Amino acid sequence: MKQAKLFAPQGGPIIVSQIENEYNTIQLAFKERGDSYVQWAAKMALSLDTKVPWIMCKQKDAPDPIINTCNGRHCGDTFTGPNGPNKPFLWTENWTAQFRVFGDPPSQRSAEDLAFSIIRFCSKNGTLVNYYMYHGGTNFGRTSSSYTTTRYYDEAPLDEFGLIRQPKWGHLKDAHRAVNLCKRALFSGSPFVQKLGPDQEARVWEQPGTSLCSAFLTNNDTKKPQALRFRGQDYQLPPRSISILPDCKTEVFNSQMITTHHNSRNFVRSVAANKNFNWEMYREVVPDDPGNKLNEPRELYELTKDTSDYAWYITKLDLGRRDLPMKNEILPVLRVASLGHGLHCYVNGKYIGTAHGSKVEKSFVFQKPVEFQAGSNQIALLGFLVGLPDSGAYMEKRYAGPRSITILGLNTGTLDITLNTWSHQVGLDGEKNQIYTQNGFPKVQWVKGGPSEGVTWYKGYFDAPEGDNPVAVKMTGMGKGMVYINGRNIGRYWMSYLSPLKRPTQSEYHIPRSYLQPTMNLIVIVEDEKGDPKDIEIVLVDRDTICGFITEKHLPSVRLFEGKGGKLVALEKDLKPRVELTCPSQKQIVAVEFASFGDPFGACGHYVEGNCTSPVAKQVVEKFCLGKPSCNIPLDTPDLHNKNEACPEMKKTLAIQAKCAFKA
């Protein structure tokens, strides 16, 4: 049993318990009792302790004592609220990004949208927001679900490697600080809504007869900025944004105005680790007749039982000379209709090709021309899975593997060999012999490494990379398979499955430093398509490229305010916009790679000058920042304005990109 304490705005702590049950146990309970999930959960909760409520995600009619909650991106607008007066407003999953699957293009959720959503929820009586995920991670081994990439939720505020992703991390921290400045009003005040326009409103928390007041001004217009007048003052709000006024007067935060710095992730080739892998290879041999025969191919999930991604399906077929086409330019076609996830085809020991489905459409059809011979022919299909089902109803009824195998183009017509009697073998011989370990690899004969087709194992060695930055392996030149480091599986790679952008969904794969020894680290790769390891490299990961992007319209940072004695207090007199840069890990700014004061555009790592810029912008930034671990550059710095007459009437932007490093 797992327990966590939550605190509602009124009253004491609520203990929320979650019982972890095996899927089969739950299924058995359903079959025996005929209960729905909600009824079953309610009975389980009541049987334990009627004073201990359960959380039920996205279940509007959850019976007591279950607390109905919200999962999603915008629960401030989509959640209808708790279905009982004594239940808190809980947002159990605020999706910071979207997990990616192989074949997908990059996906992300902006820091601005996240900030808008949490402030909206808090302004509407929200009690708790739980981020899913706040820290990205790695699906080591075979732990990822169906088609999910090895890198999981990498767009979270803390990325896969535990590095801070800016501005998402900093902007959310600022949003939390701004909401915290309103805590007295949120806990003690009474809420009401004041319409300020067709798509504009103020949500006010106020204690009548006192000065205790906080307001959340919202512009729901997704295209146009709006000027909102509230209690005698004008406030300029960008499209689809919320401004926070902790004292109902001072605007300290707007969800669309990022004042924290940005950063960009770099993958840098290691000097120490890429000296010479000395690659060797071993080709997996297609089994001749592994036994375990049935009339038709077995279902792949049931066959493998999660012990391997792979299973062989093998049959033999006798063909006479008159069965084969007479013309040399005509070849029979082998067609395999499969329920997923993929398969590699071999005929008479020769690799023919590969086909696979997708996350959306797992079924597929493999068909390739094949050179059959007169006499006995072996057809071997290596079915593979890319994770188990992840969600939805009736997961026990998800199927994979070949369901129909036919040969087209024979002189005798189409031949259905689905019921031709098939032998089965779960897993690869290399897996069974554990040739990815120091004790296992001597069991097979290795030869000098090079390009390959079909299932091939590669073995090499590398020294631990220099420094202490996170480590990854870049799988350039490979197709699909898995990587082992010192005998430990770091996950599936799939370089050949390109996104619509014609790029692999994931190219770099995390190697925890705890897996490494100082020298002679064994790397073993099982490549099951086509590949050549000559371009594989070990890389170091950093976020040493930092950026700032602030306009003259920006608010001052919320970090310049604090609550003291129930009042909002400014920590500095100068509350004008400025760019704030901070290097990670006590590094220093060693170079200013881009600086423009005018109308630049782009994103960190890819800024471009616009139609006007100050000719001295880079010099000014270097004066403020070079050799320092952090720096602030005010936008009203005289040199930026005095020497920039190209666009004097424009509200300007200062964009900066700098490089951080340890002092030499």
Side-chain angles (χ1 to χ4, degrees):
M1 179 182 294
K2 293 182 178 179
Q3 291 190 335
K5 282 190 177 181
L6 304 177
F7 287 85
Q10 298 176 354
I14 303 168
I15 303 297
V16 180
S17 299
Q18 175 184 356
I19 305 297
E20 293 183 343
N21 294 277
E22 291 292 336
Y23 178 70
N24 290 338
T25 304
I26 297 173
Q27 284 294 106
L28 182 61
F30 291 166
K31 289 179 180 178
E32 289 182 354
R33 298 177 180 270
D35 293 341
S36 71
Y37 176 66
V38 175
Q39 293 169 332
W40 174 84
K43 290 177 181 178
M44 286 292 290
L46 287 167
S47 67
L48 291 168
D49 187 344
T50 56
K51 296 180 181 179
V52 178
W54 276 33
I55 287 178
M56 173 66 70
C57 301
K58 303 189 74 168
Q59 186 71 44
K60 294 180 181 179
D61 58 350
D64 288 335
I66 296 173
I67 302 171
N68 61 305
T69 71
C70 183
N71 287 0
R73 290 177 178 242
H74 301 112
C75 287
D77 291 309
T78 61
F79 187 39
T80 56
N83 60 10
N86 299 318
K87 299 180 182 181
F89 283 70
L90 301 181
W91 189 350
T92 41
E93 291 185 13
N94 183 359
W95 301 331
T96 59
Q98 180 66 45
F99 70 85
R100 296 178 65 189
V101 299
F102 287 112
D104 269 4
S107 61
Q108 60 184 4
R109 186 181 180 193
S110 71
E112 296 93 329
D113 186 60
L114 265 169
F116 180 93
S117 70
I118 62 168
I119 297 170
R120 182 76 168 160
F121 186 74
C122 292
S123 73
K124 297 175 74 173
N125 206 33
T127 303
L128 174 143
V129 177
N130 175 63
Y131 291 105
Y132 187 97
M133 305 289 292
Y134 198 80
H135 193 323
T138 307
N139 290 306
F140 294 115
R142 300 172 43 255
T143 56
S144 63
S145 62
S146 176
Y147 284 92
T148 302
T149 55
T150 302
R151 177 180 294 158
Y152 187 78
Y153 253 90
D154 185 47
E155 292 286 339
L158 298 174
D159 69 14
E160 175 190 16
F161 303 96
L163 301 177
I164 293 175
R165 177 183 293 279
Q166 295 284 26
K168 188 172 285 187
W169 187 86
H171 195 49
L172 289 179
K173 184 178 180 180
D174 287 348
H176 302 160
R177 181 180 179 89
V179 171
N180 191 53
L181 291 173
C182 305
K183 62 186 177 184
R184 286 177 177 266
L186 289 173
F187 275 89
S188 303
S190 299
F192 65 89
V193 180
Q194 178 182 342
K195 290 292 290 182
L196 302 177
D199 297 306
Q200 295 76 38
E201 67 181 19
R203 290 190 170 266
V204 184
W205 291 75
E206 189 171 24
Q207 191 176 68
T210 71
S211 61
L212 189 63
C213 181
S214 292
F216 301 84
L217 308 185
T218 304
N219 176 20
N220 279 313
D221 191 319
T222 60
K223 296 181 180 180
K224 296 179 181 179
Q226 295 290 338
L228 275 61
R229 189 162 184 82
F230 176 71
R231 299 196 173 183
Q233 293 190 41
D234 292 327
Y235 300 90
Q236 301 293 328
L237 270 68
R240 197 176 181 276
S241 69
I242 295 181
S243 283
I244 297 180
L245 286 59
D247 59 357
C248 282
K249 293 180 293 184
T250 309
E251 189 178 12
V252 301
F253 183 86
N254 180 275
S255 59
Q256 280 290 334
M257 296 184 184
I258 295 175
T259 60
T260 189
H261 72 269
H262 304 230
N263 64 26
S264 179
R265 188 166 62 191
N266 306 301
F267 293 94
V268 183
R269 178 182 171 88
S270 168
V271 175
N274 292 288
K275 293 177 181 177
N276 191 352
F277 286 98
N278 290 318
W279 290 110
E280 294 183 307
M281 61 191 291
Y282 162 71
R283 297 183 190 275
E284 183 88 10
V285 178
V286 178
D288 181 40
D289 187 358
N292 191 11
K293 294 184 179 180
L294 288 175
N295 285 341
E296 59 184 337
R298 291 175 62 183
E299 194 278 322
L300 190 52
Y301 284 126
E302 186 272 335
L303 175 61
T304 58
K305 292 183 170 61
D306 197 28
T307 59
S308 173
D309 279 1
Y310 306 100
W312 289 100
Y313 300 86
I314 297 173
T315 192
K316 291 188 177 179
L317 178 67
D318 290 328
L319 293 173
R321 182 180 299 176
R322 292 185 178 275
D323 294 321
L324 301 174
M326 298 299 181
K327 295 182 179 180
N328 293 333
E329 65 270 19
I330 298 178
L331 292 175
V333 172
L334 177 63
R335 175 184 290 171
V336 182
S338 175
L339 297 172
H341 291 166
L343 66 82
H344 309 297
C345 180
Y346 297 76
V347 173
N348 297 324
K350 181 181 178 182
Y351 173 73
I352 302 300
T354 296
H356 59 82
S358 67
K359 174 71 174 179
V360 175
E361 183 54 66
K362 296 173 179 62
S363 298
F364 65 93
V365 175
F366 169 91
Q367 50 185 6
K368 288 277 187 178
V370 176
E371 292 186 16
F372 288 110
Q373 60 190 20
S376 179
N377 294 268
Q378 184 202 57
I379 299 174
L381 307 177
L382 180 60
F384 65 82
L385 296 168
V386 193
L388 298 178
D390 52 3
S391 64
Y394 305 110
M395 286 196 289
E396 76 281 8
K397 295 184 180 180
R398 309 287 178 87
Y399 303 114
R403 63 175 178 81
S404 172
I405 303 103
T406 54
I407 302 174
L408 290 72
L410 297 173
N411 285 342
T412 49
T414 298
L415 180 62
D416 189 338
I417 59 173
T418 309
L419 303 179
N420 196 53
T421 303
W422 292 81
S423 299
H424 302 80
Q425 175 181 305
V426 176
L428 305 173
D429 286 338
E431 290 179 303
K432 294 177 181 178
N433 291 318
Q434 296 185 342
I435 66 173
Y436 47 83
T437 65
Q438 290 285 0
N439 294 330
F441 78 74
K443 296 179 182 179
V444 298
Q445 185 67 43
W446 299 84
V447 298
K448 184 178 175 61
S452 70
E453 287 189 344
V455 181
T456 305
W457 296 79
Y458 290 98
K459 173 176 69 73
Y461 289 94
F462 66 95
D463 293 339
E466 63 277 12
D468 58 4
N469 282 349
V471 181
V473 56
K474 193 169 185 177
M475 300 299 292
T476 306
M478 304 304 285
K480 177 194 165 294
M482 287 183 283
V483 183
Y484 298 83
I485 303 295
N486 292 327
R488 305 177 78 167
N489 190 334
I490 65 167
R492 303 180 180 97
Y493 69 89
W494 203 346
M495 300 288 287
S496 62
Y497 191 1
L498 303 182
S499 77
L501 302 179
K502 304 302 180 184
R503 297 176 182 175
T505 304
Q506 181 180 345
S507 298
E508 301 86 12
Y509 294 81
H510 183 200
I511 303 175
R513 278 197 176 264
S514 61
Y515 287 15
L516 300 177
Q517 53 199 27
T519 60
M520 294 295 289
N521 292 283
L522 174 65
I523 177 172
V524 176
I525 300 166
V526 54
E527 167 60 55
D528 49 269
E529 287 185 359
K530 299 180 180 180
D532 188 342
K534 65 181 179 64
D535 293 323
I536 289 176
E537 55 184 356
I538 305 296
V539 294
L540 294 165
V541 190
D542 67 53
R543 288 189 175 272
D544 290 345
T545 300
I546 61 173
C547 303
F549 193 90
I550 300 292
T551 74
E552 291 181 305
K553 297 179 182 179
H554 265 63
L555 298 172
S557 170
V558 68
R559 298 182 294 280
L560 301 178
F561 297 90
E562 70 175 5
K564 189 174 290 186
K567 295 184 178 181
L568 185 68
V569 178
L571 299 177
E572 296 182 11
K573 292 182 179 180
D574 184 5
L575 296 178
K576 296 177 182 178
R578 66 192 189 191
V579 172
E580 301 178 2
L581 299 177
T582 302
C583 286
S585 307
Q586 281 109 38
K587 297 177 182 178
Q588 296 182 357
I589 296 173
V590 297
V592 176
E593 299 175 329
F594 179 91
S596 175
F597 184 64
D599 59 344
F601 59 94
C604 188
H606 304 281
Y607 287 133
V608 178
E609 289 185 354
N611 295 321
C612 75
T613 187
S614 168
V616 298
K618 188 173 182 181
Q619 298 173 26
V620 171
V621 174
E622 288 176 339
K623 181 179 178 181
F624 275 96
C625 298
L626 278 182
K628 299 178 182 178
S630 63
C631 61
N632 300 327
I633 307 98
L635 266 67
D636 62 354
T637 300
D639 283 349
L640 291 175
H641 292 268
N642 296 341
K643 300 180 180 181
N644 186 14
E645 300 301 326
C647 42
E649 304 302 323
M650 178 190 297
K651 287 288 186 181
K652 300 177 184 63
T653 298
L654 178 57
I656 303 169
Q657 179 176 312
K659 185 70 176 176
C660 297
F662 288 114
K663 187 176 180 180

